[in-house]
Amino acid sequence: MPYLLGLLGAIVTVLVLLKRLADAGIDLGGLNPFARRRKRAWQSKFEANPLFGLEDPMDAAAALAVGVAKASGDLSSEQKSALLDAFRSTFDLDLVAAEQLLASSAYLVGDGQIFMDQVEGVVAKSMERFTDNQIASTLALIEEIAAVEGATERQRELIGRIRDIFYNDNESTTWQ
């Protein structure tokens, strides 16, 4: 019996000390490995670049088109109007929806440096949703946009990388 009373007294003492530490601002909840894992997962999701989270093939194709246009510098008015026309015809959008898609894609691509460095990540989440027709349409779209002011070497290199991404992922690596 005295051991039980001693054990209960120690447990109450530890709980009171933990309460005092929590009142003083020292949180021992950070020692919980499950809470740390949840916090890291949430932070990585919250702080991630939204350009690499595109799941809709139309959004990814629009980002690729804007990225190819921005590969040679800022968007010119000819490129903007060509992008709007291409979005309207390729994606069958009205003018307002095409303008919104252009604005959101231009915001996601930013200055284009991250896009150029990690173009594979742009289509990573949406790659399995692309159909063969959508891949062909996307490649035609980016080539059309690059040809608006004459494709630069940087744009041609980017188009080649995008073509490799689409066609290397769709090919089978086994003999059948």
Side-chain angles (χ1 to χ4, degrees):
M1 187 66 147
Y3 294 113
L4 183 61
L5 290 175
L7 179 65
L8 289 174
I11 291 173
V12 168
T13 304
V14 168
L15 291 175
V16 168
L17 288 175
L18 288 175
K19 173 74 169 120
R20 293 273 191 167
L21 285 173
D23 291 342
I26 299 171
D27 184 24
L28 298 178
L31 298 176
N32 183 351
F34 301 111
R36 275 198 317 258
R37 183 170 181 246
R38 282 193 307 271
K39 183 178 179 181
R40 272 196 312 269
W42 176 252
Q43 278 181 330
S44 67
K45 188 174 186 179
F46 180 73
E47 295 172 354
N49 190 339
L51 180 63
F52 304 121
L54 298 175
E55 295 179 358
D56 185 24
M58 184 173 72
D59 294 335
L64 289 174
V66 172
V68 166
K70 282 192 168 189
S72 61
D74 285 337
L75 291 176
S76 66
S77 60
E78 292 86 15
Q79 287 174 326
K80 287 180 184 177
S81 64
L83 280 167
L84 284 174
D85 292 339
F87 288 172
R88 291 180 72 190
S89 64
T90 304
F91 302 134
D92 194 31
L93 298 175
D94 61 346
L95 181 61
V96 173
E99 288 174 346
Q100 290 173 349
L101 184 61
L102 176 62
S104 64
S105 297
Y107 175 76
L108 288 176
V109 171
D111 65 354
Q113 187 59 42
I114 294 174
F115 178 85
M116 286 290 294
D117 293 340
Q118 302 174 6
V119 70
E120 296 84 9
V122 175
V123 295
K125 285 197 172 185
S126 62
M127 190 63 196
E128 65 273 356
R129 292 190 176 111
F130 271 96
T131 64
D132 291 337
N133 290 338
Q134 288 173 336
I135 290 173
S137 176
T138 301
L139 292 174
L141 172 69
I142 61 176
E143 288 172 0
E144 174 188 341
I145 296 304
V148 168
E149 292 182 346
T152 63
E153 182 63 34
R154 195 168 181 184
Q155 285 176 325
R156 285 193 292 269
E157 172 194 337
L158 184 58
I159 290 172
R161 286 176 54 200
I162 293 170
R163 183 176 282 114
D164 290 343
I165 291 167
F166 279 127
Y167 288 127
N168 285 342
D169 286 345
N170 289 337
E171 292 177 359
S172 176
T173 58
T174 59
W175 292 88
Q176 290 182 0

